[in-house]
PDB file of all heavy atoms in Angstrom:
ATOM      1  N   LEU A 448      30.100  16.800  21.683  1.00 98.00           N
ATOM      2  CA  LEU A 448      29.555  17.798  22.606  1.00 98.00           C
ATOM      3  C   LEU A 448      29.776  17.377  24.057  1.00 98.00           C
ATOM      4  O   LEU A 448      30.068  18.220  24.918  1.00 98.00           O
ATOM      5  CB  LEU A 448      28.055  17.991  22.337  1.00 98.00           C
ATOM      6  CG  LEU A 448      27.369  19.099  23.142  1.00 98.00           C
ATOM      7  CD1 LEU A 448      28.060  20.440  22.916  1.00 98.00           C
ATOM      8  CD2 LEU A 448      25.888  19.190  22.778  1.00 98.00           C
ATOM      9  N   THR A 449      29.683  16.078  24.331  1.00 97.00           N
ATOM     10  CA  THR A 449      29.944  15.584  25.690  1.00 97.00           C
ATOM     11  C   THR A 449      31.392  15.859  26.094  1.00 97.00           C
ATOM     12  O   THR A 449      31.669  16.295  27.224  1.00 97.00           O
ATOM     13  CB  THR A 449      29.654  14.085  25.787  1.00 97.00           C
ATOM     14  OG1 THR A 449      28.282  13.845  25.453  1.00 97.00           O
ATOM     15  CG2 THR A 449      29.917  13.560  27.192  1.00 97.00           C
ATOM     16  N   PHE A 450      32.335  15.610  25.173  1.00 96.00           N
ATOM     17  CA  PHE A 450      33.744  15.906  25.454  1.00 96.00           C
ATOM     18  C   PHE A 450      33.944  17.398  25.724  1.00 96.00           C
ATOM     19  O   PHE A 450      34.652  17.779  26.663  1.00 96.00           O
ATOM     20  CB  PHE A 450      34.616  15.484  24.268  1.00 96.00           C
ATOM     21  CG  PHE A 450      34.770  14.004  24.098  1.00 96.00           C
ATOM     22  CD1 PHE A 450      35.126  13.463  22.878  1.00 96.00           C
ATOM     23  CD2 PHE A 450      34.559  13.137  25.158  1.00 96.00           C
ATOM     24  CE1 PHE A 450      35.277  12.099  22.719  1.00 96.00           C
ATOM     25  CE2 PHE A 450      34.705  11.766  25.016  1.00 96.00           C
ATOM     26  CZ  PHE A 450      35.065  11.247  23.791  1.00 96.00           C
ATOM     27  N   LEU A 451      33.331  18.237  24.896  1.00 97.00           N
ATOM     28  CA  LEU A 451      33.499  19.682  25.062  1.00 97.00           C
ATOM     29  C   LEU A 451      32.912  20.158  26.387  1.00 97.00           C
ATOM     30  O   LEU A 451      33.525  20.974  27.091  1.00 97.00           O
ATOM     31  CB  LEU A 451      32.836  20.420  23.900  1.00 97.00           C
ATOM     32  CG  LEU A 451      33.500  20.258  22.519  1.00 97.00           C
ATOM     33  CD1 LEU A 451      32.638  20.911  21.434  1.00 97.00           C
ATOM     34  CD2 LEU A 451      34.896  20.862  22.526  1.00 97.00           C
ATOM     35  N   GLU A 452      31.744  19.648  26.731  1.00 97.00           N
ATOM     36  CA  GLU A 452      31.097  20.069  27.981  1.00 97.00           C
ATOM     37  C   GLU A 452      31.864  19.578  29.199  1.00 97.00           C
ATOM     38  O   GLU A 452      31.941  20.273  30.220  1.00 97.00           O
ATOM     39  CB  GLU A 452      29.656  19.577  28.009  1.00 97.00           C
ATOM     40  CG  GLU A 452      28.759  20.315  27.009  1.00 97.00           C
ATOM     41  CD  GLU A 452      27.345  19.782  26.968  1.00 97.00           C
ATOM     42  OE1 GLU A 452      27.103  18.674  27.502  1.00 97.00           O
ATOM     43  OE2 GLU A 452      26.470  20.458  26.396  1.00 97.00           O
ATOM     44  N   SER A 453      32.465  18.380  29.088  1.00 97.00           N
ATOM     45  CA  SER A 453      33.275  17.888  30.203  1.00 97.00           C
ATOM     46  C   SER A 453      34.564  18.674  30.360  1.00 97.00           C
ATOM     47  O   SER A 453      35.213  18.632  31.407  1.00 97.00           O
ATOM     48  CB  SER A 453      33.594  16.402  30.000  1.00 97.00           C
ATOM     49  OG  SER A 453      34.426  16.214  28.864  1.00 97.00           O
ATOM     50  N   SER A 454      34.937  19.423  29.290  1.00 96.00           N
ATOM     51  CA  SER A 454      36.133  20.276  29.342  1.00 96.00           C
ATOM     52  C   SER A 454      35.801  21.718  29.679  1.00 96.00           C
ATOM     53  O   SER A 454      36.674  22.591  29.619  1.00 96.00           O
ATOM     54  CB  SER A 454      36.860  20.221  27.986  1.00 96.00           C
ATOM     55  OG  SER A 454      37.259  18.904  27.684  1.00 96.00           O
ATOM     56  N   GLY A 455      34.538  21.988  30.010  1.00 96.00           N
ATOM     57  CA  GLY A 455      34.175  23.315  30.474  1.00 96.00           C
ATOM     58  C   GLY A 455      33.224  24.102  29.598  1.00 96.00           C
ATOM     59  O   GLY A 455      32.851  25.231  29.959  1.00 96.00           O
ATOM     60  N   LEU A 456      32.822  23.552  28.452  1.00 97.00           N
ATOM     61  CA  LEU A 456      31.890  24.282  27.584  1.00 97.00           C
ATOM     62  C   LEU A 456      30.551  24.440  28.299  1.00 97.00           C
ATOM     63  O   LEU A 456      30.032  23.495  28.901  1.00 97.00           O
ATOM     64  CB  LEU A 456      31.690  23.532  26.266  1.00 97.00           C
ATOM     65  CG  LEU A 456      30.783  24.223  25.243  1.00 97.00           C
ATOM     66  CD1 LEU A 456      31.467  25.442  24.647  1.00 97.00           C
ATOM     67  CD2 LEU A 456      30.382  23.251  24.133  1.00 97.00           C
ATOM     68  N   ASP A 457      29.981  25.637  28.213  1.00 97.00           N
ATOM     69  CA  ASP A 457      28.695  25.921  28.843  1.00 97.00           C
ATOM     70  C   ASP A 457      27.606  25.036  28.238  1.00 97.00           C
ATOM     71  O   ASP A 457      27.378  25.059  27.027  1.00 97.00           O
ATOM     72  CB  ASP A 457      28.344  27.394  28.637  1.00 97.00           C
ATOM     73  CG  ASP A 457      27.063  27.802  29.349  1.00 97.00           C
ATOM     74  OD1 ASP A 457      26.427  26.948  30.001  1.00 97.00           O
ATOM     75  OD2 ASP A 457      26.693  28.992  29.246  1.00 97.00           O
ATOM     76  N   LYS A 458      26.954  24.237  29.076  1.00 97.00           N
ATOM     77  CA  LYS A 458      25.921  23.312  28.596  1.00 97.00           C
ATOM     78  C   LYS A 458      24.720  24.034  27.997  1.00 97.00           C
ATOM     79  O   LYS A 458      23.969  23.446  27.204  1.00 97.00           O
ATOM     80  CB  LYS A 458      25.466  22.390  29.736  1.00 97.00           C
ATOM     81  CG  LYS A 458      26.530  21.414  30.214  1.00 97.00           C
ATOM     82  CD  LYS A 458      26.008  20.556  31.345  1.00 97.00           C
ATOM     83  CE  LYS A 458      26.996  19.460  31.737  1.00 97.00           C
ATOM     84  NZ  LYS A 458      28.276  20.019  32.227  1.00 97.00           N
ATOM     85  N   TYR A 459      24.499  25.276  28.387  1.00 97.00           N
ATOM     86  CA  TYR A 459      23.378  26.046  27.869  1.00 97.00           C
ATOM     87  C   TYR A 459      23.864  27.240  27.034  1.00 97.00           C
ATOM     88  O   TYR A 459      23.111  28.179  26.797  1.00 97.00           O
ATOM     89  CB  TYR A 459      22.491  26.534  29.019  1.00 97.00           C
ATOM     90  CG  TYR A 459      21.869  25.389  29.800  1.00 97.00           C
ATOM     91  CD1 TYR A 459      22.437  24.957  31.003  1.00 97.00           C
ATOM     92  CD2 TYR A 459      20.743  24.740  29.323  1.00 97.00           C
ATOM     93  CE1 TYR A 459      21.889  23.906  31.709  1.00 97.00           C
ATOM     94  CE2 TYR A 459      20.176  23.687  30.034  1.00 97.00           C
ATOM     95  CZ  TYR A 459      20.757  23.269  31.225  1.00 97.00           C
ATOM     96  OH  TYR A 459      20.194  22.218  31.911  1.00 97.00           O
TER      97      TYR A 459
END
Side-chain angles (χ1 to χ4, degrees):
L448 185 57
T449 300
F450 288 158
L451 291 173
E452 290 177 346
S453 66
S454 300
L456 183 71
D457 184 359
K458 293 179 173 62
Y459 297 98

